[in-house]
Amino acid sequence: MNELRVLVLIPARYASSRFPGKPLAKISKKSMIQRVYENCLGIKNQLKNSVVSVVTDDSRIEDHIKSFGGEVVRVDDDVASGSERIALALERFYSDREWDFVINVQGDEPLIESDLLSRLAKYHSESDFDMATVVKPFSGNEGEHSDVNKVKAIYSPVRGQCLYFSRARLPYYRDQVEAQDWFLHIGIYSFKPNILKAFCKLPLSHYENIEKLEQLRALENGYTIGAIKTEMTLMGVDVPDDIKKLEGVLREREIES
């Protein structure tokens, strides 16, 4: 496993309809993008041939990454998704090397840990899935299950495969059982490089356009998506109010340590 060649790319746009400037938002005095980047860097201790880089379209984010010694590349093209941005970064800046996998880590997952990325790469290398991602089991959490910002994965344990993703409250429990188990989708994708390139050449798909979830384009075009499960504490940042919740989690960690 240590010989796997993994390129970790973190797309970070400044513009956001719900939270402009989100990558630079401070979380306990450190920017969100710096937390994501530094947490991902640990993969180099587990996979010696890995590279971690931020892909941005904004000089403010670029300058900030350079200020703490991080690796960053610019892709200013107007693209529809983070995966399309990292595909261009792969082509323009990292095509001089052969990669086993390209992992897309969303820049708004500041609690991500490198061990999870290593697990994902290992899982993908031992499977026949075109793509691989991460899901987290939940049980009975009414508020989060109904939250449209929390993407639900219809995950089949038979093959460890994701069958669908939705912002809606899925699955629907017809018999109204008390504990309604479901899977939260974590915004991390592992691509085989050829699949990433082919995927990004496909047009916007029907359900992708409805749900605004790019992974549905892959499913609608016949690509398979496997997933690993995690119990790791993760919290994506969608709106400014999420920052306070995240800082609370970090304070609890400091108390426990």
Side-chain angles (χ1 to χ4, degrees), residues 82-102:
S83 292
E84 291 176 50
R85 194 169 302 280
I86 69 165
L88 291 173
L90 171 64
E91 176 186 346
R92 295 172 184 174
F93 301 100
Y94 298 103
S95 59
D96 58 334
R97 293 179 59 181
E98 294 291 331
W99 303 100
D100 293 306
F101 302 107
V102 180

Side-chain angles (χ1 to χ4, degrees), residues 71-128:
E71 182 168 340
V72 58
V73 296
R74 282 285 291 273
V75 174
D76 292 347
D77 305 56
D78 184 15
V79 294
S81 69
S83 292
E84 291 176 50
R85 194 169 302 280
I86 69 165
L88 291 173
L90 171 64
E91 176 186 346
R92 295 172 184 174
F93 301 100
Y94 298 103
S95 59
D96 58 334
R97 293 179 59 181
E98 294 291 331
W99 303 100
D100 293 306
F101 302 107
V102 180
I103 297 183
N104 178 353
V105 177
Q106 300 301 303
D108 56 6
E109 287 283 353
L111 297 182
I112 189 69
E113 295 178 13
S114 60
D115 287 350
L116 186 60
L117 303 184
S118 299
R119 276 187 58 211
L120 182 62
K122 182 175 186 295
Y123 166 80
H124 202 176
S125 71
E126 296 173 349
S127 78
D128 59 356

Side-chain angles (χ1 to χ4, degrees), residues 90-215:
L90 171 64
E91 176 186 346
R92 295 172 184 174
F93 301 100
Y94 298 103
S95 59
D96 58 334
R97 293 179 59 181
E98 294 291 331
W99 303 100
D100 293 306
F101 302 107
V102 180
I103 297 183
N104 178 353
V105 177
Q106 300 301 303
D108 56 6
E109 287 283 353
L111 297 182
I112 189 69
E113 295 178 13
S114 60
D115 287 350
L116 186 60
L117 303 184
S118 299
R119 276 187 58 211
L120 182 62
K122 182 175 186 295
Y123 166 80
H124 202 176
S125 71
E126 296 173 349
S127 78
D128 59 356
F129 292 112
D130 298 311
M131 297 167 53
T133 189
V134 181
V135 296
K136 182 174 181 177
F138 271 82
S139 180
N141 192 318
E142 178 70 25
E144 289 197 281
H145 200 183
S146 301
D147 187 346
V148 297
N149 291 320
K150 307 297 183 186
V151 178
K152 276 63 77 173
I154 300 301
Y155 168 80
S156 171
V158 176
R159 288 196 68 234
Q161 184 172 0
C162 292
L163 306 177
Y164 190 72
F165 300 87
S166 181
R167 297 183 183 279
R169 185 179 170 182
L170 296 177
Y172 173 73
Y173 279 76
R174 192 194 69 171
D175 296 329
Q176 297 297 310
V177 295
E178 289 186 12
Q180 298 191 355
D181 298 331
W182 58 284
F183 289 95
L184 174 70
H185 180 229
I186 307 300
I188 305 168
Y189 301 97
S190 175
F191 292 91
K192 297 175 183 178
N194 63 313
I195 297 297
L196 174 61
K197 294 174 185 177
F199 166 75
C200 290
K201 291 178 181 178
L202 295 169
L204 182 76
S205 66
H206 179 71
Y207 289 106
E208 175 190 13
N209 187 45
I210 291 173
E211 297 247 27
K212 299 300 184 284
L213 297 174
E214 63 175 318
Q215 60 269 43

Side-chain angles (χ1 to χ4, degrees), residues 23-24 30-38 41 54 60-72:
L24 300 180
K30 184 181 288 190
S31 74
M32 179 162 59
I33 192 62
Q34 183 173 356
R35 288 185 178 277
V36 175
Y37 179 84
E38 292 178 348
L41 272 184
V54 174
R60 288 162 288 191
I61 296 173
E62 181 183 23
D63 292 343
H64 176 63
I65 300 298
K66 290 179 177 178
S67 74
F68 61 79
E71 182 168 340
V72 58

